[in-house]
Amino acid sequence: LKPPTLDNDAPPSMMMYPPPPHESSSFENTHSHHGHHIPSQDGSEEFSFTISRLKVSFTSKIFIDQSCEFQLDGFLPTSLVEKGRLPVDEFNKFVNEKSRSGKWKVVIMKLSSMSGGENTSSYKRFYKEYESLRRICMFQVSDTTKVFLITPKFLR
C-alpha cells in the first residue's frame, strides 16, 4: 500500500485535530456535505486510539474536508497505538521542517462522532494530561506516515 500522495515518492505527514470537547456528535450531520468520514483499512469508520502511557483507549470517526487532495479511504489501520509524544515546540519545528522540505505533506483530519460516557471520559483524561504536559501524541502508521493527535488547547 503506497502512501496517499500526489507523488508516491513523497511520504505524507498526517495530523489529526480533535473537535473541542463540548462539540456533540451532530458534527456528522452538520458538516457531512463539506467532507466525509474515512473508512479504515478494514472498512470500518470507527478508529481505536490507545494511549499507552495513560492506559486509556477511545474510539472516534475521522473526518476529512472535501478539499483534501489525498485519497485516505482505506489507508489508516483501525487501531492506532501511541508511539511517542513531542513537546509542542518540537512538534511545530518538526512539522515546519518536514513540510518545507517538500518531501512530506500535511493532511488535516478531525476526530468526530465520539460518543459514550466511558469513551468520552477516556478522551478527556488523555487530552487534559497531554495539555498539562504540553505534549502532542504521535502514532506511527508506517516508516513514512505519522499521525499526530493535537488536543483542543494547541489548535491555536
Side-chain angles (χ1 to χ4, degrees):
L1 184 65
K2 292 185 176 182
T5 63
L6 296 176
D7 171 7
N8 280 325
D9 294 328
S13 172
M14 297 184 171
M15 297 192 328
M16 300 179 66
Y17 289 83
H22 62 277
E23 208 168 300
S24 71
S25 62
S26 64
F27 182 90
E28 179 176 8
N29 296 331
T30 60
H31 293 81
S32 61
H33 64 284
H34 297 294
H36 70 281
H37 287 115
I38 61 170
S40 66
Q41 290 172 348
D42 71 4
S44 170
E45 284 190 354
E46 286 287 324
F47 291 83
S48 171
F49 299 87
T50 300
I51 312 302
S52 306
R53 294 177 200 281
L54 300 178
K55 296 183 172 101
V56 298
S57 293
F58 53 88
T59 59
S60 178
K61 292 181 180 183
I62 298 175
F63 180 86
I64 60 167
D65 189 87
Q66 68 185 11
S67 64
C68 179
E69 60 186 302
F70 305 106
Q71 176 53 259
L72 297 177
D73 292 359
F75 179 71
L76 296 174
T78 302
S79 180
L80 296 162
V81 178
E82 174 190 38
K83 178 70 174 176
R85 59 187 185 174
L86 292 171
V88 174
D89 292 339
E90 281 184 39
F91 166 76
N92 289 330
K93 182 179 175 186
F94 174 81
V95 170
N96 285 332
E97 287 175 1
K98 292 292 187 181
S99 59
R100 196 173 333 123
S101 74
K103 293 182 179 179
W104 285 58
K105 302 293 182 190
V106 174
V107 177
I108 297 173
M109 302 179 287
K110 298 178 182 180
L111 298 185
S112 72
S113 298
M114 189 177 296
S115 61
E118 186 175 327
N119 197 40
T120 304
S121 294
S122 293
Y123 171 70
K124 190 179 272 189
R125 181 172 170 225
F126 152 71
Y127 88 75
K128 285 185 178 210
E129 177 73 15
Y130 274 58
E131 286 179 350
S132 71
L133 296 171
R134 298 191 46 77
R135 297 291 186 265
I136 303 294
C137 185
M138 181 186 72
F139 303 89
Q140 185 154 349
V141 176
S142 70
D143 289 342
T144 60
T145 305
K146 294 175 180 18
V147 172
F148 297 95
L149 187 54
I150 301 168
T151 61
K153 180 178 182 177
F154 303 123
L155 292 177
R156 298 180 201 93

